[in-house]
Amino acid sequence: MALYTRVYMAVQISPSILSADYARLADETAAVSGVADWLHVDVMDYHFVPNLTIGLPVVEALLKHTSLPLDCHLMIDDPDRWAPGYAEAGAGNVTVHAEAARAPVRTLRAIRAAGARAGLALNPGTAVEPYEDLLPEVDMLLLMTVEPGFGGQQFLDMVLPKLRRTRALVARQGGAVWLQVDGGVSAETIERCADAGADVFVAGSAVYGADDPARAIQALRAQAERATAGSAWAR
Ligand code: DX5
Ligand code: ZN
């Protein structure tokens, strides 16, 4: 195995319950606990994205049923108002969209102050460079690899150059910011993501569309670890 700095190394898999059976969320969560690192919860409001999912009451209910940390991805308008509540409820990570946050510094600090990790998400068409100064306020950058709103969409390869640039930016800042990809991440695409610099991988349909979600996670993790070990950025 190649030698690389441990801070870059750990691959994390965050299965998205958007592709799970919402009527059986406790069982669907149990199916990945012990194998997944996080449980990715997509919060949508019919405004920021043209879809509606779940909100704080379901997150609070989930927290009582799982020991997996919740990775809440807020695809909502006015995250400045709503994001801190998810952190206060006990989410392990709360991610807000750069396109929606009007006071990102205040909001990211409020998330951290409530004890959660603070994430900042960028849509495929949003450049990362304007957010470089925000990196010290951020624990994880989420680069969307589909337009947000729906599971099962095709992975957008056009995000890969941005992923490489983002990994270089993060490295210049010391490498502590996690780099997450979300959308179309599967056995076909995860190696490209890992090679370009991602270390946290959201997968919805590739996990919950599989016959055995736990085995699907193990296989994705093995692929991502191999690709990371062979990548230039992790050396
Ligand atoms: C889409 C969501 C994703 C979604 C990914 O807007 O943010 O988390 O669940 O689903 P897949 O992995 O099927 O593309
Ligand atoms: Zn998501």
Side-chain angles (χ1 to χ4, degrees), residues 20-233:
D21 180 350
Y22 272 170
R24 299 173 43 253
L25 273 188
D27 294 342
E28 297 277 67
T29 301
V32 299
S33 69
V35 187
D37 299 284
W38 295 84
L39 193 69
H40 186 83
V41 179
D42 289 303
V43 176
M44 307 188 191
D45 69 347
Y46 264 157
H47 290 270
F48 182 70
V49 288
N51 198 2
L52 180 70
T53 55
I54 57 173
L56 191 54
V58 177
V59 165
E60 287 170 337
L62 267 175
L63 283 163
K64 294 187 194 135
H65 283 276
T66 182
S67 54
L68 273 178
L70 299 191
D71 169 24
C72 293
H73 175 196
L74 306 189
M75 285 160 278
I76 58 172
D77 276 355
D78 204 2
D80 308 290
R81 179 171 178 192
W82 303 112
Y86 288 81
E88 285 155 17
N93 176 84
V94 181
T95 295
V96 298
H97 268 264
E99 302 84 0
R102 271 171 285 190
V105 175
R106 187 177 70 215
T107 300
L108 293 163
R109 287 185 180 184
I111 292 169
R112 281 180 166 175
R117 296 177 62 91
L120 185 70
L122 305 180
N123 283 340
T126 302
V128 66
E129 285 77 9
Y131 298 97
E132 183 174 356
D133 289 348
L134 266 184
L135 284 185
E137 310 290 338
V138 166
D139 297 302
M140 182 169 76
L141 269 177
L142 162 53
L143 298 195
M144 291 302 301
T145 40
V146 297
E147 293 288 3
F150 300 94
Q153 300 184 77
Q154 201 181 350
F155 180 82
L156 293 173
D157 275 283
M158 54 83 64
V159 180
L160 291 175
K162 178 166 69 175
L163 193 48
R164 290 185 192 280
R165 296 201 308 275
T166 308
R167 174 50 69 189
L169 277 181
V170 166
R172 280 210 290 282
Q173 300 239 353
V177 177
W178 295 350
L179 198 35
Q180 185 178 61
V181 282
D182 181 9
V185 176
S186 68
E188 285 69 48
T189 58
I190 196 166
E191 292 175 14
R192 274 176 266 164
C193 296
D195 183 65
D199 54 5
V200 187
F201 304 85
V202 177
S205 46
V207 169
Y208 282 107
D211 291 338
D212 184 338
R215 280 186 60 184
I217 290 172
Q218 284 164 338
L220 288 169
R221 187 192 301 283
Q223 277 188 285
E225 285 177 348
R226 266 198 309 276
T228 303
S231 72
W233 69 268

